[in-house]
Amino acid sequence: MTRLGIVGCGRITERGHIPAALATPGVSVAACADPNPERLAGCLELCRQGGEETKGFASLAAMLVAETIDLLVVAAPLEHHLPLAEEAAAAGIRTLVEKPPVPDLATAQQLAALDPEPLLAFNRRFLQGPELRAAVPAAGWLELDLELGFQRGAWGAHEVRDEALLDAGIHLIDLACHLSDAAPIAVRRADIAPEQASLELELSRGRARIACATDRRHREAVSVRDRAGKLVARSAWGGLRTRLGGAIGRPDPLKLSLQRQLEEAAGVSPLELHHLARARDGVVAMAVVEAARRSAELDGAEVTVESLAELKT
């Protein structure tokens, strides 16, 4: 049995991590921590309703003293991710860090240097990934189009107001690299605003056009074409199709992806997915983010992504 700890009792924990953990055989929610008593109590009640005797703590330090934890989900606000992951690593505990993992490239490199190396919650690898990865050719040029939009106000986050590029775009950057098994080379045509962002990402075997927004209805779409323009893989979530699916009992995409992710992290997955992102993948994604920010400052000019050789040092 994997004893799971969760630090940060916001919306992603309420709507995602706890429901996913309760649905995962071989995983027990041993403890939750949050300095806000009301949020902590709400998550503990969700666990109690799911049959778990979960302990609550005001801090990660108090949790680590009192409980044995095998895997820690870090779902606190962005500025706390690295300190919490460092605290867990010092105790020998692997973390699963929510996105965005860090605010900048330098912090991403610090996160990747921890031992044990943190895992990253790029859960679109477990949503579109299983649908598309097998259909994507192992070699040859690819053209990818990736879109993710959602209404931030409908999500009801307690505190987090990350820019669209970090909140949604980083998922698509990571997914483009993951699906293509390609390294990012350069960013061009970047246009970045607080609630919307778009960019073109040159990859070692293709090109990805990425668009994200946090001020519109939920929609996720990914398409992959070969050099001739033939559609080889496509996935779409959100909109009427997903709402109707929920009405007839189909799994919620957030819970489904987080459950698959947790199953693999805990070593209890019935599927051979091998999609888990690690902190080193976050370094690559943040290098693209920084190149996109620079491209936007230069009115969409092409900016080279820092080389992977440099990223690994």
Side-chain angles (χ1 to χ4, degrees), residues 196-246:
Q196 298 181 26
S198 61
L199 60 101
E200 185 176 289
L201 175 61
E202 183 182 348
L203 299 161
S204 57
R205 59 172 299 210
R207 179 168 49 234
R209 288 172 288 269
I210 290 171
C212 61
T214 55
D215 60 355
R216 61 189 63 176
R217 288 184 178 179
H218 177 223
R219 171 175 165 77
E220 305 190 35
V222 180
S223 64
V224 184
R225 290 177 169 80
D226 62 17
R227 186 181 289 275
K230 178 184 177 182
L231 183 68
V232 296
R234 186 176 188 278
S235 169
W237 290 82
L240 181 61
R241 175 186 175 188
T242 298
R243 291 195 295 274
L244 289 175

Side-chain angles (χ1 to χ4, degrees), residues 99-101 122 124 146-150 152 162-177 192-199 201 208-214 285-286 288-289 292:
K99 64 81 200 170
F122 286 146
R124 267 57 183 187
L146 304 97
E147 176 187 352
L148 170 57
F150 66 91
R152 193 197 303 273
D162 298 318
E163 62 175 323
L165 181 62
L166 276 182
D167 202 357
I170 198 165
H171 272 304
L172 303 183
I173 291 167
D174 174 73
L175 187 60
C177 296
I192 300 173
E195 302 294 340
Q196 298 181 26
S198 61
L199 60 101
L201 175 61
R209 288 172 288 269
I210 290 171
C212 61
T214 55
M286 284 307 306
V288 175
V289 166

Side-chain angles (χ1 to χ4, degrees), residues 274-294:
H274 306 298
H275 291 326
L276 268 175
R278 287 168 169 76
R280 70 194 77 169
D281 299 307
V283 173
V284 174
M286 284 307 306
V288 175
V289 166
E290 294 211 350
R293 288 170 174 166
R294 182 61 177 154

Side-chain angles (χ1 to χ4, degrees), residues 4-305:
L4 185 71
I6 303 175
V7 57
C9 292
R11 289 286 186 247
I12 188 64
T13 296
E14 294 174 353
R15 298 185 183 183
H17 289 297
I18 288 177
L22 294 175
T24 303
V27 172
S28 172
V29 186
C32 292
D34 196 294
N36 185 298
E38 184 177 346
R39 294 175 199 164
L40 178 60
C43 285
L44 294 178
E45 176 60 19
L46 288 175
C47 293
R48 187 195 66 78
Q49 292 174 5
E52 296 276 16
E53 296 181 1
T54 305
K55 302 291 181 61
F57 300 92
S59 68
L60 174 58
M63 178 197 293
L64 296 180
V65 168
E67 293 294 320
T68 299
I69 301 298
D70 300 311
L71 177 68
L72 179 74
V73 173
V74 177
L78 176 60
E79 64 270 19
H80 300 295
H81 286 185
L82 179 61
L84 290 169
E86 288 176 329
E87 190 174 350
I93 297 170
R94 170 157 278 176
T95 50
L96 175 61
V97 181
E98 255 301 331
K99 64 81 200 170
V102 289
D104 54 48
L105 179 56
T107 312
Q109 290 170 318
Q110 290 178 268
L111 192 70
L114 296 179
D115 184 20
E117 183 184 6
L119 306 171
L120 301 184
F122 286 146
N123 65 302
R124 267 57 183 187
R125 290 184 176 211
F126 294 88
L127 187 62
Q128 291 95 343
E131 290 185 79
L132 302 178
R133 187 80 186 263
V136 175
W141 181 268
L142 298 174
E143 293 278 348
L144 299 94
D145 286 277
L146 304 97
E147 176 187 352
L148 170 57
F150 66 91
Q151 186 65 253
R152 193 197 303 273
W155 177 249
H158 295 305
E159 297 181 28
V160 176
R161 293 292 184 273
D162 298 318
E163 62 175 323
L165 181 62
L166 276 182
D167 202 357
I170 198 165
H171 272 304
L172 303 183
I173 291 167
D174 174 73
L175 187 60
C177 296
H178 176 65
L179 290 176
S180 63
D181 276 327
I185 295 174
V187 173
R188 61 180 70 90
R189 298 187 179 89
D191 185 6
I192 300 173
E195 302 294 340
Q196 298 181 26
S198 61
L199 60 101
E200 185 176 289
L201 175 61
E202 183 182 348
L203 299 161
S204 57
R205 59 172 299 210
R207 179 168 49 234
R209 288 172 288 269
I210 290 171
C212 61
T214 55
D215 60 355
R216 61 189 63 176
R217 288 184 178 179
H218 177 223
R219 171 175 165 77
E220 305 190 35
V222 180
S223 64
V224 184
R225 290 177 169 80
D226 62 17
R227 186 181 289 275
K230 178 184 177 182
L231 183 68
V232 296
R234 186 176 188 278
S235 169
W237 290 82
L240 181 61
R241 175 186 175 188
T242 298
R243 291 195 295 274
L244 289 175
I248 62 174
R250 290 181 181 168
D252 172 76
L254 175 62
K255 178 183 172 184
L256 174 65
S257 61
L258 292 183
Q259 183 178 346
R260 287 172 172 171
Q261 178 177 259
L262 180 57
E263 286 171 347
E264 190 168 318
V268 297
S269 176
L271 305 173
E272 293 295 327
L273 296 177
H274 306 298
H275 291 326
L276 268 175
R278 287 168 169 76
R280 70 194 77 169
D281 299 307
V283 173
V284 174
M286 284 307 306
V288 175
V289 166
E290 294 211 350
R293 288 170 174 166
R294 182 61 177 154
S295 174
E297 291 172 357
L298 298 173
D299 296 322
E302 181 172 297
V303 174
T304 301
V305 177

